[in-house]
Amino acid sequence: MAEKSYEVVVIGGGPAGYAAAIRSAQLGLKTACIDKTLGKSGKPSLGGTCLNWGCIPSKALLDASHKFEEVNQLVDFGISVENASIDIEAMISRKDEVVQQLTSGIGSLFKANGVDSFEGMGRLLADGNVEFTTHDAQVSQIETNNVILAPGSVPSSIDIAPLSSPQVVDSTEALNFGDVPNRLGILGAGVIGLELGSVWNRLGSETILFEALEQFLPSVDHRISRDAKRILSKQGLDIRLGTTVVSVTASDNGVEVVYEAKGEKNTVIVDRMIVAVGRKPNTYDLIATDCGIETDERGFITVNEFCQTSLENVYAVGDAVRGPMLAHKAAEEGIMAAERIFGKKSLVNYSNVPAVIYTHPEIAWVGLSEEQAKGEGFEAEVGTFSFGASGRALAANDREGLVKIISDSSSDRVLGVHILGPQASELIGQAVMAMEFGATSEDIGLTMFAHPSLSEALHEAALGVGGHAIHMANRKKKK
Ligand code: FAD
Ligand code: NAD
């Protein structure tokens, strides 16, 4: 006999789950959210990977390390700061305070919206109800009409780099180093590798990234990924593409990394190694085996375009289902699931999911790259504008990178926008909005942007599609 009864039970309190729970309660549905995370202090901590050991703590360290690095560049502005130093313990505790503030904020939002919060494990049962196990192993049943599964993801591990010593760690541990490693190895030059590599490289680690692929950031527009690699390498990130790591062995003398590149075997000794080779869905013990919920060969819960599973009243959202593992995609899916349970016909526009890599300069994009557009049969028209010609970027001494806009030559509709540059994470929002409204590059060109601002680079790139950018020489000459 169930002790409690709800219209919606959400399992998982990350961006997908907490957004689903809040929206569901806003719509008047009696809602509970179950989350098992214990934070760094050992207490329940809402917000999932994103708030506890993902987006937020990594950005707190990226911002800290960027400010530290900037201090050494202030001389260009005529400002001299001597003997700047960084207190790693203070940097980490500031990061923990930011996390604490935001995770406790989710609890307040739950209270304000009337979401009941359950601290512990949730498990979907075959009868559609949910089994709830508290952190001290008390088991009960929660009756519910609908379930939203939002269990998120965990780091993938690989046999050649076991996380069996404190020197070989995943991204979670790499957010809590107590000191700056002299030499840092990173397995995987993807998003986490580049972001955490940037943090520790800026603070003084000699940083080597071992990447299996021959191509750097293959899903990013090639012009942007090529320029990004050049800039990041100049900053000191030693990005070794096409390397097959054979073994990673920790001992008192450091971590020995044996790898093959261009047919040759090499050995490097590093002080610490971060394994950042992707993440996998966190569905362990989430679903009773006789439920009838399907998963694919990699463990992702199978859903349709509306995030509905093979059972009509069970939805699954966020990192545990197909698509990019991004917090904003997760949250939008959570909101869609709640609204569809309520009866709305909500949709997520999967063509317009922005992505950002928070290096400096930042790398941000939405829609198709030039290569993808051509691959899909579009005749692509391209406009670019370099931040080196932007007054605002020059004034801020932040002039590396460019904006690239790809339009369909027959309709002029914007197919993709790719930005390498200062505040690309903010600028890309303007592109997402334009694309959401089906803008052409001419529409963006006809829009007025404040001067001087970084956004003008987007404006000029859009004008450049038609060959009439004002602040650069146009290759195409059009009337
Ligand atoms: P999660 O955030 O993983 O939340 C799932 C929650 O469910 C967790 O609290 C988990 O403990 C809980 N749970 C799982 N199973 C159960 C169960 N059976 N019972 C109860 N609770 C359960 N994305 C971005 O968009 N921008 C970024 O800048 C960014 N930076 C990142 C940096 C790092 C280092 C990492 C690791 C990830 C980053 N991400 C970023 C990815 C982002 O964190 C995820 O895409 C996002 O958190 C996914 O949200 P989710 O709700 O699906 O899952
Ligand atoms: P990723 O997929 O971005 O990168 C993993 C990299 O490791 C890939 O380039 C892959 O080729 C490489 N790799 C895999 N196996 C390897 C091996 N054996 N040897 C060498 N290289 C190998 O994954 P990630 O960096 O671990 O991040 C996981 C997820 O978290 C991403 O999907 C991302 O969406 C999300 N995330 C997002 C942000 C952000 O939005 N800014 C930040 C961090 C993480």
Side-chain angles (χ1 to χ4, degrees):
M1 183 61 189
E3 290 155 25
K4 296 221 159 74
S5 163
Y6 288 91
E7 284 165 287
V8 179
V9 171
V10 182
I11 303 182
Y18 78 68
I22 290 172
R23 187 68 189 118
S24 174
Q26 281 174 352
L27 291 164
L29 300 167
K30 191 176 176 217
T31 305
C33 181
I34 307 174
D35 189 83
K36 66 178 181 182
T37 294
L38 297 175
K40 214 175 157 186
S41 63
K43 295 203 181 110
S45 186
L46 288 165
T49 303
C50 177
L51 267 55
N52 285 286
W53 48 80
C55 327
I56 299 302
S58 60
K59 268 75 244 178
L61 298 188
L62 277 156
D63 283 338
S65 58
H66 181 57
K67 284 183 195 298
F68 178 63
E69 196 177 53
E70 267 190 332
V71 168
N72 298 317
Q73 292 158 3
L74 290 179
V75 70
D76 295 347
F77 290 89
I79 303 167
S80 60
V81 180
E82 276 166 32
N83 301 325
S85 64
I86 184 145
D87 176 343
I88 299 298
E89 205 181 316
M91 178 185 79
I92 299 287
S93 59
R94 189 196 80 94
K95 177 263 295 176
D96 292 340
E97 278 164 30
V98 174
V99 168
Q100 157 64 22
Q101 195 177 335
L102 290 170
T103 53
S104 61
I106 304 295
S108 308
L109 289 172
F110 276 4
K111 280 202 187 95
N113 285 283
V115 175
D116 286 351
S117 187
F118 287 70
E119 292 157 357
M121 276 284 292
R123 185 162 170 266
L124 177 68
L125 300 173
D127 62 6
N129 292 320
V130 171
E131 181 183 82
F132 169 59
T133 309
T134 62
H135 289 296
D136 55 2
Q138 306 292 316
V139 183
S140 59
Q141 270 203 35
I142 304 175
E143 203 171 77
T144 183
N145 303 334
N146 301 281
V147 175
I148 301 177
L149 301 171
S153 63
V154 288
S156 298
S157 52
I158 47 173
D159 293 343
I160 50 133
L163 306 180
S164 52
S165 92
Q167 294 143 284
V168 183
V169 299
D170 62 20
S171 59
T172 306
E173 301 303 320
L175 295 168
N176 288 308
F177 285 164
D179 56 9
V180 180
N182 284 331
R183 211 175 207 205
L184 175 66
I186 303 183
L187 194 48
V191 192
I192 292 181
L194 293 172
E195 291 189 356
L196 295 183
S198 292
V199 168
W200 295 105
N201 178 56
R202 290 168 190 168
L203 299 178
S205 292
E206 181 190 342
T207 306
I208 308 171
L209 295 101
F210 302 93
E211 169 58 53
L213 299 177
E214 293 287 350
Q215 200 191 330
F216 182 61
L217 295 177
S219 52
V220 177
D221 184 274
H222 291 184
R223 163 88 196 269
I224 300 282
S225 64
R226 190 194 66 202
D227 287 8
K229 178 159 186 297
R230 179 180 47 75
I231 293 168
L232 296 175
S233 301
K234 205 169 66 187
Q235 291 172 5
L237 292 181
D238 179 353
I239 303 165
R240 301 188 185 178
L241 300 176
T243 55
T244 306
V245 173
V246 181
S247 66
V248 176
T249 316
S251 73
D252 291 346
N253 301 325
V255 182
E256 185 190 74
V257 183
V258 180
Y259 69 94
E260 283 173 10
K262 298 196 178 103
E264 273 183 30
K265 208 171 219 177
N266 301 279
T267 302
V268 172
I269 307 286
V270 295
D271 298 297
R272 246 162 276 168
M273 183 82 177
I274 304 173
V275 179
V277 292
R279 293 176 64 83
K280 60 181 182 191
N282 183 18
T283 50
Y284 175 73
D285 209 21
L286 173 75
I287 305 165
T289 44
D290 48 357
C291 276
I293 300 264
E294 289 163 17
T295 53
D296 71 14
E297 68 286 351
R298 293 192 298 154
F300 288 96
I301 302 167
T302 307
V303 288
N304 64 15
E305 59 187 310
F306 313 123
C307 288
Q308 203 167 24
T309 67
S310 37
L311 301 181
E312 204 188 337
N313 61 340
V314 179
Y315 286 76
V317 291
D319 278 11
V321 304
R322 82 283 173 271
M325 289 182 165
L326 296 171
H328 39 281
K329 174 262 192 189
E332 292 302 326
E333 287 185 336
I335 291 166
M336 171 174 70
E339 293 186 346
R340 293 193 84 88
I341 287 170
F342 178 75
K344 287 177 179 270
K345 300 285 176 219
S346 309
L347 298 171
V348 167
N349 182 357
Y350 288 102
S351 308
N352 278 354
V353 180
V356 180
I357 305 177
Y358 291 82
T359 46
H360 191 90
E362 294 176 342
I363 307 164
W365 69 96
V366 58
L368 302 179
S369 65
E370 185 177 353
E371 297 76 28
Q372 286 164 339
K374 286 180 177 159
E376 289 192 16
F378 289 103
E379 204 173 303
E381 282 283 357
V382 171
T384 58
F385 190 80
S386 160
F387 285 105
S390 151
R392 189 77 187 91
L394 259 64
N397 203 23
D398 217 347
R399 51 180 293 169
E400 285 187 304
L402 72 153
V403 176
K404 176 169 175 178
I405 297 187
I406 297 116
S407 290
D408 169 21
S409 79
S410 61
S411 65
D412 191 36
R413 189 168 58 88
V414 177
L415 301 172
V417 176
H418 296 253
I419 306 175
L420 169 69
Q423 297 185 41
S425 55
E426 302 297 335
L427 298 179
I428 201 69
Q430 303 175 16
V432 177
M433 219 183 278
M435 288 174 65
E436 198 61 34
F437 292 126
T440 60
S441 68
E442 186 183 32
D443 290 329
I444 301 177
L446 287 169
T447 307
M448 199 185 295
F449 289 74
H451 175 75
S453 66
L454 297 172
S455 308
E456 287 173 303
L458 185 74
H459 187 219
E460 290 278 359
L463 291 172
V465 174
H468 26 85
I470 300 296
H471 293 94
M472 66 168 192
N474 294 283
R475 285 217 188 118
K476 315 171 226 192
K477 304 279 182 215
K478 290 189 184 172
K479 287 270 158 53

